[in-house]
Amino acid sequence: MAKIFQVSARAGMTRVVEPIARALLRAGVTPNAVTVAGTVGVLVGALGFGARGHLVAGALIVTLFALTDLLDGTMARMSGGSTKFGAFLDSSMDRVADSAVFGAVAYWLATQSNYSGVAAALVCLAAGSLVSYVKARAEGLGMTCNVGIAERTERLLIVGVGGILTGVGVDPALEIALWLLAAVSIFTVGQRMAHVYRQAQQLQPDGQA
């Protein structure tokens, strides 16, 4: 199944960030430094703005710095490929950033006594972590897991749009976006588990279940 954020859109964004990536590499900036800076930016947007109810500013800052996922990856490719530590750092920082985003959203919704929204944010946080874990575990076992309707970029876009709409007065938009995201994330977990199951069955020696 095609991802929400289509491959063509990703390729277009990559062409936009390539000149920036080249300039940063010439200036001596490393992909790992961009990864950490992007995470710090997301933390500022989520905790400094989103958690305090400044949803439009928070969503825009988070979205801007979340795009460093494309930038650091492009820089790594241009400089000869990602290192093992670089891949580890990128994945770890993604989990930190995601926790900050959904934790901030849950906190703000709790201050508004919107407990249904809080529940949705917590489901999104748990399911989003599981989406990433399933892929990492599969790859650790020598299988592929590049499937799913909503990966990290899609998830951040959905919650970002909901936050912006709520920030400009469309009150239920954030809660609706969170429940939609929760459903999409759970579905993605199922997709990935089914994909890995089929690979595992093919790898089983004949006669074994």
Side-chain angles (χ1 to χ4, degrees):
M1 184 179 291
K3 297 176 177 63
I4 296 172
F5 192 40
Q6 297 294 331
V7 173
S8 58
R10 293 176 184 270
M13 287 298 299
T14 299
R15 286 193 293 271
V16 171
V17 303
E18 280 183 351
I20 302 172
R22 290 193 187 94
L24 290 173
L25 288 171
R26 285 196 296 268
V29 179
T30 67
N32 289 348
V34 171
T35 298
V36 173
T39 302
V40 172
V42 170
L43 292 175
V44 170
L47 303 178
F49 289 87
R52 298 167 60 193
H54 304 299
L55 300 183
V56 174
L60 291 175
I61 293 170
V62 167
T63 300
L64 175 64
F65 282 97
L67 290 176
T68 57
D69 262 358
L70 288 175
L71 182 57
D72 60 11
T74 302
M75 290 173 66
R77 176 174 55 81
M78 289 179 169
S79 59
S82 175
T83 64
K84 289 184 177 180
F85 177 75
F88 168 80
L89 178 67
D90 185 63
S91 180
S92 299
M93 292 297 99
D94 284 351
R95 303 291 78 74
V96 171
D98 290 354
S99 297
V101 169
F102 290 103
V105 168
Y107 173 82
W108 181 77
L109 289 169
T111 67
Q112 307 302 303
S113 299
N114 186 341
Y115 300 115
S116 173
V118 172
L122 295 177
V123 172
C124 289
L125 177 58
S129 296
L130 189 55
V131 167
S132 300
Y133 173 79
V134 169
K135 179 178 180 179
R137 183 60 175 150
E139 291 177 345
L141 293 171
M143 293 178 279
T144 63
C145 198
N146 295 315
V147 299
I149 190 172
E151 295 188 349
R152 183 172 184 260
T153 301
E154 287 81 6
R155 297 197 301 272
L156 290 178
L157 283 174
I158 290 172
V159 73
V161 169
I164 290 172
L165 290 176
T166 295
V168 298
V170 187
D171 289 339
L174 180 56
E175 182 180 353
I176 292 171
L178 287 169
W179 280 117
L180 172 63
L181 179 56
V184 167
S185 297
I186 292 170
F187 183 76
T188 300
V189 171
Q191 281 185 297
R192 290 189 167 184
M193 293 187 73
H195 181 72
V196 172
Y197 175 77
R198 288 192 293 269
Q199 290 180 80
Q201 291 297 102
Q202 292 173 0
L203 294 171
Q204 287 283 5
D206 292 339
Q208 292 190 20

